[in-house]
Amino acid sequence: MQKKSFSNVVIARATQKDVWQALVELQYLLEWVPEIMIARQSKNRISITRTGPSINQHEIVSIEEITNGIKYTSTEGRIEYEVVFLISGVDKCVIIQEDVYVLEKTALHLPLKLLTPIAKHAFAVNLNNLVTVVEKRTRLAK
């Protein structure tokens, strides 16, 4: 069973299509999540290795397109989790809501409540990086 741990919300000056593309294509992921050192993609799965210390040094992330966004499901790490990116908005103003769900059983020796604020901040930094990458690419495409 999964439990919602936290949410982050940002606004991007881009189209929904631009945000969608950045969330499903590996080349973009490497730009907005800087701690990823190695990523290999096959179909809708990405094998990830991170550079620095991390709870999930290695993990497999499955990418699924859902009705109003993109869902990442992480497995084979110390913590298994889902990140649901809900994408809404009009014209060139997009709201991205990131909801993070953690599997209640975990192999960690620390309570999840202690890790949640740290994880929320790290995910927020990466979400803001996503906005920067998407907005930069949108400006370059003009």
Side-chain angles (χ1 to χ4, degrees):
M1 174 179 257
Q2 293 187 339
K3 178 181 173 187
K4 186 172 180 178
S5 293
F6 57 87
S7 295
N8 292 309
V9 178
V10 293
I11 297 174
R13 288 170 290 173
T15 66
Q16 287 186 22
K17 181 181 175 185
D18 295 329
V19 172
W20 204 278
Q21 183 179 16
L23 287 168
V24 297
E25 293 186 15
L26 178 61
Q27 67 191 37
Y28 290 95
L29 180 66
L30 294 172
E31 290 181 49
W32 63 272
V33 184
E35 68 269 10
I36 294 177
M37 178 177 65
I38 300 170
R40 292 184 183 91
Q41 188 168 13
S42 62
K43 290 208 173 199
N44 292 334
R45 292 172 50 112
I46 300 172
S47 175
I48 293 175
T49 302
R50 289 185 170 74
T51 54
S54 174
I55 291 174
N56 284 354
Q57 194 69 38
H58 307 283
E59 64 187 312
I60 303 295
V61 176
S62 299
I63 301 172
E64 178 184 349
E65 296 185 46
I66 57 176
T67 304
N68 53 351
I70 306 292
K71 179 170 74 170
Y72 288 4
T73 303
S74 172
T75 58
E76 300 186 26
R78 291 174 66 197
I79 292 181
E80 293 189 352
Y81 62 93
E82 281 186 356
V83 182
V84 177
F85 296 94
L86 302 173
I87 304 166
S88 62
V90 293
D91 297 327
K92 297 210 177 205
C93 185
V94 178
I95 298 168
I96 308 164
Q97 178 174 326
E98 171 186 66
D99 296 328
V100 178
Y101 300 85
V102 175
L103 199 62
E104 286 187 6
K105 71 174 182 86
T106 177
L108 296 177
H109 299 290
L110 293 171
L112 238 64
K113 287 182 181 182
L114 293 176
L115 297 174
T116 299
I118 297 164
K120 179 177 173 63
H121 175 73
F123 275 80
V125 168
N126 287 338
L127 188 60
N128 282 302
N129 289 343
L130 171 67
V131 170
T132 301
V133 167
V134 169
E135 288 180 347
K136 180 180 175 184
R137 289 186 177 270
T138 300
R139 282 191 304 271
L140 293 175
K142 289 182 180 181

